Amino acid sequence: MTQITESIASAIGADRLVTDAAALAAHRTDYWILAHLRRRQGRLADPPLAVVQPRSSAEVAAIVKLARARRTPIVPYGGGSGVVGGATPEAGALVIDLRRMDRLLEVNDTALTASAEAGLLGGEFERRLNARGYVSGHYPQSLELASLGGLVATRSAGQFSTLYGNVEDLCLGLEAVLPNGEIARIVPTPRSATGPSLREIFLGSEGTLGIVTEVTLRIFPKPERRAMSSWSFDGMEPALDAIRRIVRVGWRPAVVRLYDGFEASQWHFKQWVPVNKCALLLLSEGPAGLVEAEERACAEIATAAGGSALGVAPVEHWLERRNHVPSWDQFLDQEMMVDTIEVSAAWDRVATLYDRVIAALRDRPGMLVASAHSSHSYRQGTNLYVTFAVKPENFAEAEAAYVGAWAAVMEATLAAGGSISHHHGIGRMRVPWIERELGTAYPVLRALKRALDPDGLMNPGVLLPA
Ligand SMILES: Cc1cc2nc3c(=O)[nH]c(=O)nc-3n(C[C@H](O)[C@H](O)[C@H](O)COP(=O)(O)OP(=O)(O)OC[C@H]3O[C@@H](n4cnc5c(N)ncnc54)[C@H](O)[C@@H]3O)c2cc1C
């Protein structure tokens, strides 16, 4: 044992420490394909020093104080489903794995909130709520992999976000252990004007400003009715315009997903969608009267924008398959690098963003697939979820091909005035571009980091340069 692990063992118990090779190997990275490539190539950082599995906020606080005293870097680890390297510790770091803190603490039937420890997985949270007649409304594709703390720490978005909102709309309060080991509680209220939102500091902080140990989220009564429809369009522009018109006047279908010609007609929905046409999927849920009115209004808008009805089958097909988790090994074995990059832009820029991003990817050497869909819409704009698959001539150069594809999308997004991340966060992958997007506000984030974590021990190299 090292000095730090010895002091953790004597402070909170040796049973909280995991130092066996398999557990250390399992915590060397999250779901970032580049780290998986580096592991294959023997270039991934050595395993962390140890993994600690605390059972309470007090234990997390004790670990953080000990690590700080010994200047040991700390990496909070939830479900390990992050896709941009946020939970990819450097050698010698201490991983704090929150998964043993998974209690549902309270369901408040009157205030419509639920509080839980940060290590509870999203899928389990949802099932526990369903048993009591509620839903969480937060369904990322990684629902069964991601922890509530991780979902908050990455500013995640769920597939039903157009109705229920993203995690920043759902998270009303939280508890976090600060980098100095003190515990801060942000009391849940429906709304508050008590200065700037301190809650927001932790939303998207990716383990760099504290460790989220507890969250209070909005919950919703189980919806009474659901309605589904799908539509084909000649191109992205008229279909994006249909979405813009739907949300602009206040309709809020829970699911609004628009797939480009490749994804719709050659990949996900080829049984239904004519070649090169785009497909728009809509799903409304809530009180019956509202759902019926929304379904009618959306159908009128989609038809007026040039959409042709495809029926409910494509939406049912998507619902059945939506939480498929791809295995990176399957692609790496075929010497391919595959990834998704989510960006966003306002309605007046998003069609241009789509064209630029696809053009920037399509002509790169070895690019097999460059496509996108929109899956989270707002009155002001929407996201694009870009997928690329690149097979470099020489697989030894896979990292360069992958980073080049990412850089092309980041540059095209900044040039089009979009945001470089809609919901996966910055992690390690997007660090080179964060300053460009934040511009003159970037020093505020740096100052916050320096003030809360002056020694730079919390997840160094993630969100901000180390
Ligand atoms: C197949 C697949 C589909 C996905 N679909 C979606 C999707 O639909 N929507 C979406 O938003 N994301 C999606 N993701 C990304 C990922 O699931 C989210 O980023 C998720 O929020 C990560 O949660 P986690 O618990 O797995 O966090 P981890 O991967 O363990 O960590 C992610 C980051 O958060 C930090 N962190 C984790 N827990 C805490 C904590 N308690 N306190 C402070 N920091 C913490 C880590 O240090 C790291 O920086 C998907 C990922 C996969 C693999």
Side-chain angles (χ1 to χ4, degrees), residues 30-31 75-83 85-87 98 118-119 121 138-143 145-159 205-208 210-213 323-326 328 376 385 423-424 427 459 462:
D30 48 16
Y31 221 80
V75 178
Y77 202 100
S81 71
V83 282
L98 278 299
L121 295 185
H138 199 55
Y139 313 120
Q141 187 191 349
S142 52
L143 187 68
L145 308 176
S147 67
L148 298 182
L151 290 166
V152 166
T154 55
R155 283 186 89 85
S156 61
Q159 294 152 334
S205 59
E206 302 187 34
T208 64
I211 303 180
V212 177
T213 46
N323 288 345
H324 170 70
V325 176
W328 291 146
H376 306 273
Y385 190 88
H423 59 261
H424 288 160
N459 214 357
V462 167

Side-chain angles (χ1 to χ4, degrees), residues 47-114:
L49 187 68
V51 177
V52 201
Q53 297 179 322
R55 308 289 200 275
S56 67
S57 305
E59 290 189 4
V60 175
I63 298 162
V64 170
K65 281 184 180 155
L66 291 169
R68 191 179 165 112
R70 302 208 179 274
R71 296 190 151 267
T72 306
I74 295 168
V75 178
Y77 202 100
S81 71
V83 282
V84 283
T88 300
E90 281 168 9
L94 189 67
V95 170
I96 303 190
D97 178 339
L98 278 299
R99 284 296 318 287
R100 297 292 164 91
M101 291 176 59
D102 61 355
R103 286 179 306 149
L104 178 63
L105 300 168
E106 189 201 15
V107 175
N108 187 324
D109 297 284
T110 313
L112 271 183
T113 57

